[in-house]
Amino acid sequence: MPGTLRSALLKAAIVLLTAAIFALDALTSMDSAIAVMYVVVVLATVHVWPTRVLAVTALCLVLTATAHLVTSWFGVVNSSLARCAVSLAAIGISGYLAHAGAQATARLLQREESLRLSRMQLAHVTRVTTLGELAASIAHEVNQPLAAISANGEAALRWLRRQQPDPQEVEHALQRMLADTCRASEVIRRIRALAQKGEATFAPVDLAGIIHDCAALLQRELASHGATLVVEVADGLPPVPGDRVQLQQVLINLLMNGMQAMEPRGGTLRLVAAALPSTHGDGVRIAVTDQGPGIPDDQCGRLFEPFYSTKPDGMGMGLPICRSIVEAHAGRIAAVPGGPGATLEVTLPGYRQAAA
């Protein structure tokens, strides 16, 4: 049942219940405090009119007093003042508590929204900071296709300036220029996506494409640190529901951490992505393994705590942000104990599993 229809039916039920309670209280000689049932009206109002709880409570109090006057006017002896007072007290107390609860819930929701916005802003700042660290790699990624465009343009001019121009060679050079233009545009698109600030948009995303984008963006940075990246992506990875930019941020952070853990001697950084076994449902497992000193078992559980870092100059915010992003995607991130180096593992549900 849609939420709007459910809300409309509940409002109608509240109105009918209020009228029924008033009729029973004012027009019958039942020897009980019927008006106490207004407590149900007040509590139901919290769900459909949370800002009008006090107004509805006041209305119920007025109706209770009116019913007492009506029954006294017609001489109904069992509508005593004591039962009226008990009903008024019960309604007033319930109304106050319901109003206080609604106010507390509203404040809690406001704080949660403020916390969500703060996390989003912090994640954006982290992405921009990471882009600053990758300035050399970004410049290299952009300069490569620009240099190729320049070389192909000069080649095309040389073929045109020959005594006998060769249109076919010129066409080939122009085609290569167009391909390099698309390549440069794609590099800029990836960088702009990482730098953008906005709400997360969840949609089916191709993890294999995200992984290859991250590998291309980090290639020069890895080479400058003496690290080699080996990527193993299984065929037929299921799509996962998520925000492409946020998932890219997680992978870049894990790869950067692995690269820095192997300084100064470098080594091989391995990224493996594979579908989860059928017994675990539809999903994807991503593991990033480095050849650094590894993580002591007693520190594995603390890696994702805010402001905790195993690096001397670390801020301790990268992995906590990664955890919040992965958990927002209904996934899990953990450090795998044992073995040489360190392994950080991310599991994400598949699109069909998350939709179910």
Side-chain angles (χ1 to χ4, degrees):
M1 182 183 296
T4 54
L5 178 59
R6 188 186 305 112
S7 177
L9 291 177
L10 184 55
K11 291 177 181 178
I14 290 174
V15 174
L16 292 175
L17 179 60
T18 304
I21 293 172
F22 178 76
L24 288 173
D25 194 25
L27 305 178
T28 66
S29 58
M30 297 179 65
D31 190 16
S32 59
I34 298 298
V36 174
M37 292 299 295
Y38 283 124
V39 171
V40 179
V41 174
V42 172
L43 296 178
T45 302
V46 176
H47 297 284
V48 290
W49 292 303
T51 60
R52 301 180 182 177
V53 173
L54 291 182
V56 173
T57 302
L59 175 63
C60 292
L61 291 173
V62 171
L63 291 177
T64 301
T66 302
H68 175 71
L69 294 176
V70 170
T71 53
S72 299
W73 179 268
F74 287 104
V76 181
V77 295
N78 64 341
S79 292
S80 66
L81 183 61
R83 285 197 296 273
C84 179
V86 169
S87 300
L88 291 173
I91 296 168
I93 294 171
S94 300
Y96 171 75
L97 294 177
H99 175 71
Q103 292 291 98
T105 301
R107 288 194 297 269
L108 180 60
L109 292 176
Q110 186 177 8
R111 290 175 182 174
E112 287 182 350
E113 178 64 14
S114 299
L115 180 60
R116 186 188 66 82
L117 291 176
S118 297
R119 286 176 175 171
M120 185 181 69
Q121 292 172 355
L122 182 59
H124 175 252
V125 170
T126 305
R127 287 200 300 272
V128 174
T129 302
T130 302
L131 287 176
E133 296 176 2
L134 297 176
S137 294
I138 292 172
H140 178 73
E141 284 294 309
V142 175
N143 282 332
Q144 272 192 330
L146 292 180
I149 291 171
S150 177
N152 284 307
E154 292 175 357
L157 287 175
R158 286 196 301 270
W159 287 110
L160 284 174
R161 290 169 178 169
R162 294 181 64 180
Q163 291 184 353
Q164 187 175 354
D166 192 333
Q168 187 174 4
E169 291 294 340
V170 173
E171 181 181 354
H172 290 163
L174 292 175
Q175 288 175 347
R176 290 192 297 270
M177 290 174 64
L178 290 174
D180 287 323
T181 302
C182 293
R183 180 180 164 194
S185 298
E186 185 63 19
V187 172
I188 295 172
R189 182 196 63 79
R190 290 199 302 262
I191 296 168
R192 290 185 62 186
L194 273 176
Q196 73 179 3
K197 181 180 180 181
E199 294 285 343
T201 55
F202 284 72
V205 295
D206 176 23
L207 269 181
I210 294 177
I211 290 171
H212 291 306
D213 282 352
C214 293
L217 191 60
L218 291 173
Q219 199 61 50
R220 184 170 179 82
E221 191 72 17
L222 290 163
S224 65
H225 286 78
T228 303
L229 177 62
V230 176
V231 177
E232 299 177 13
V233 179
D235 295 331
L237 285 183
V240 299
D243 182 85
R244 183 182 183 88
V245 173
Q246 289 190 351
L247 293 177
Q248 197 170 8
Q249 180 178 358
V250 171
L251 290 179
I252 288 177
N253 188 276
L254 296 182
L255 291 171
M256 291 281 287
N257 283 351
M259 174 191 67
Q260 293 167 0
M262 296 188 298
E263 290 179 333
R265 59 185 180 85
T268 300
L269 190 61
R270 187 176 299 274
L271 189 154
V272 179
L276 289 173
S278 57
T279 55
H280 292 71
D282 184 24
V284 176
R285 170 186 173 272
I286 304 170
V288 177
T289 303
D290 61 53
Q291 292 181 327
I295 305 170
D297 292 345
D298 59 342
Q299 294 183 11
C300 286
R302 300 191 60 193
L303 283 179
F304 303 97
E305 295 179 4
F307 306 112
Y308 177 82
S309 177
T310 57
K311 295 181 288 188
D313 57 346
M315 293 181 59
M317 290 305 300
L319 288 179
I321 291 173
C322 289
R323 182 182 65 177
S324 65
I325 292 175
V326 171
E327 290 179 350
H329 287 72
R332 185 181 65 87
I333 182 171
V336 180
T343 298
L344 293 177
E345 183 178 277
V346 176
T347 56
L348 295 168
Y351 182 72
R352 290 184 296 273
Q353 182 180 355

